[in-house]
Amino acid sequence: MCLTVREARLQTGQFVAGAIEQVGEDKRLLRVTLPLGLRLMPGVQMFIDSEAARNGNYVICYPNGCMADFQVNPDFVARLKSGERLQLRGINAPGQVASYLLPLGGFAQANEGPPTDPATFEREQRQRDAPPPVRPK
């Protein structure tokens, strides 16, 4: 199995949205995660640049957000590699569109490049998720 991950985070490091391309078992899946607090219906819209929207339904929610899965093919992944941005849209509690942009720069290199060592990846994730140090005033 191979995963290519792209996340959007605030300057504080807080997770906002993410997309994972998963390859394995003769199928490709793009799993997107949007923050909690969005309406489960009507689901998620996904766009590459100015293409037509693809619609998906949420499949599960965890403390970090709600996930929707999209079956994708090699043509779609090629468009991710050449695209500028992946836009995800949901509807927030008051009924307004909540839009999240994931830059696609570097996606092709990450997708086609050498795999990341799992231990290195885990260490980087722990460092990124660690609370900032408290500095005395």
Side-chain angles (χ1 to χ4, degrees), residues 52-126:
R54 293 180 64 146
N55 298 306
N57 296 318
Y58 292 104
V59 292
I60 194 164
C61 293
Y62 288 110
N64 68 320
C66 294
M67 298 175 186
D69 290 345
F70 293 85
Q71 294 292 323
V72 297
N73 58 30
D75 180 58
F76 183 85
V77 175
R79 291 195 315 274
L80 285 173
K81 291 177 183 180
S82 64
E84 292 182 24
R85 64 183 183 182
L86 178 68
Q87 183 176 9
L88 306 173
R89 287 187 188 165
I91 304 296
N92 65 17
Q96 301 164 325
V97 173
S99 186
Y100 306 92
L101 295 176
L102 298 173
L104 292 173
F107 180 85
Q109 182 181 358
N111 188 263
E112 297 167 359
T116 300
D117 174 59
T120 301
F121 178 77
E122 296 250 349
R123 185 174 54 254
E124 290 172 354
Q125 293 296 307
R126 281 194 304 273

Side-chain angles (χ1 to χ4, degrees), residues 6-24:
R6 187 67 167 157
E7 295 180 339
R9 293 183 177 267
L10 300 176
Q11 287 183 340
T12 61
Q14 178 185 350
F15 176 83
V16 176
I20 299 174
E21 184 219 359
Q22 179 176 324
V23 178

